Amino acid sequence: MKTFLLFLMAVLVFVSGCVQQSQQETIKIGALVPLSGNYAVIGERIRNGMELAKEDIIAEGEAKGIEIFYEDACLAKDAIPATQKLITADKVQWIGASFCLVGLVPVIPMVQENNIIIFNTAANPDVVLNQPNVFSTNKAIKDDAEDLAKFAFDSLSARTASTVYYITPFGEAYNNHTTRAFREMGGAITSTNAVDVNTLDYRTELAKIKAENPDVIF
């Protein structure tokens, strides 16, 4: 995470064209992370990591000050107003962490319009790839999904599979690329099961899949 924040600072210096500015001014960073709900543990880990990195960077003299504004946001209904606040009220120079793709995708036009750089920490669906102002430290979902399908087909000798996926850009991308890759290798998909991102009970989907008896579940 420290390297990640240093990379963010390097981007800011490049954009501003002035190294001294980053050393003299407090750098303002936004973060869209789930601090409540099902994914709060992940949001807390991101916040803790950023705070530790902040302390190290300041102690080493890489910046005079770093101020991080955390917004508890995952779904679009929370991410959109949170991003507006970060840009207009907090005057952040970039958004250094965005975890939930369901909230990231709808704010991309907003950050591009305001020339704000945003970093995605989750694996990346096609809709996020090659977008101006959007960067990531993670892999493309397409590549990861193809690896998963290949492992199931080659290493597990699976020839049938079912999928369970969130109705989000993240889940839909994994489902689309995994099923495509698995079928191209010669496998068959017995069913695809879409669930809401807040789903906690999967008994209905699992009962259906058990009756189908696939070799693996993606």
Side-chain angles (χ1 to χ4, degrees):
M1 184 64 73
K2 176 183 174 183
T3 302
F4 177 51
L5 282 187
L6 282 171
F7 177 56
L8 294 183
M9 290 174 59
V11 171
L12 179 63
V13 169
F14 174 77
V15 172
S16 67
C18 180
V19 176
Q20 292 181 347
Q21 180 181 4
S22 68
Q23 296 173 338
Q24 295 173 356
E25 296 180 2
T26 296
I27 298 172
K28 295 183 177 183
I29 303 172
L32 300 171
V33 290
L35 298 174
S36 61
N38 297 344
Y39 306 102
V41 171
I42 296 174
E44 287 294 340
R45 288 174 179 173
I46 293 174
R47 179 164 64 180
N48 292 342
M50 294 184 76
E51 287 299 318
L52 289 172
K54 168 186 169 181
E55 292 176 7
D56 286 346
I57 292 168
I58 293 175
E60 293 174 7
E62 299 289 348
K64 182 177 180 180
I66 300 174
E67 189 172 5
I68 305 177
F69 299 86
Y70 297 97
E71 291 294 327
D72 182 4
C74 184
L75 300 180
K77 67 181 181 64
D78 301 315
I80 292 173
T83 302
Q84 291 172 334
K85 173 184 175 293
L86 289 173
I87 294 174
T88 59
D90 300 323
K91 307 293 183 183
V92 299
Q93 292 150 300
W94 61 64
I95 297 176
S98 177
F99 175 74
C100 297
L101 282 164
V102 68
L104 169 67
V105 173
V107 305
I108 289 177
M110 192 186 312
V111 297
Q112 290 173 340
E113 180 182 351
N114 289 275
N115 199 28
I116 299 291
I117 290 174
I118 189 168
F119 283 80
N120 170 44
T121 57
N124 297 272
D126 295 347
V127 68
V128 173
L129 299 176
N130 302 315
Q131 285 276 7
N133 292 50
V134 182
F135 295 85
S136 178
T137 55
N138 213 323
K139 64 181 72 175
I141 287 177
K142 178 178 181 293
D143 296 335
D144 196 36
E146 290 175 352
D147 289 342
L148 289 171
K150 181 176 176 58
F151 177 78
F153 193 87
D154 292 343
S155 300
L156 302 181
S157 299
R159 294 299 179 265
T160 59
S162 294
T163 68
V164 182
Y165 65 95
Y166 289 139
I167 308 171
T168 67
F170 182 85
E172 290 167 351
Y174 262 109
N175 179 68
N176 292 339
H177 286 300
T178 305
T179 56
R180 171 191 56 76
F182 192 67
R183 283 169 173 158
E184 288 176 354
M185 294 173 191
I189 301 296
T190 59
S191 68
T192 58
N193 303 273
V195 297
D196 183 80
V197 70
N198 291 316
T199 297
L200 297 176
D201 186 343
Y202 294 87
R203 283 177 293 185
T204 299
E205 290 76 21
L206 291 176
K208 174 184 175 183
I209 292 171
K210 182 179 180 180
E212 296 166 351
N213 193 31
D215 295 328
V216 294
I217 301 173
F218 293 120

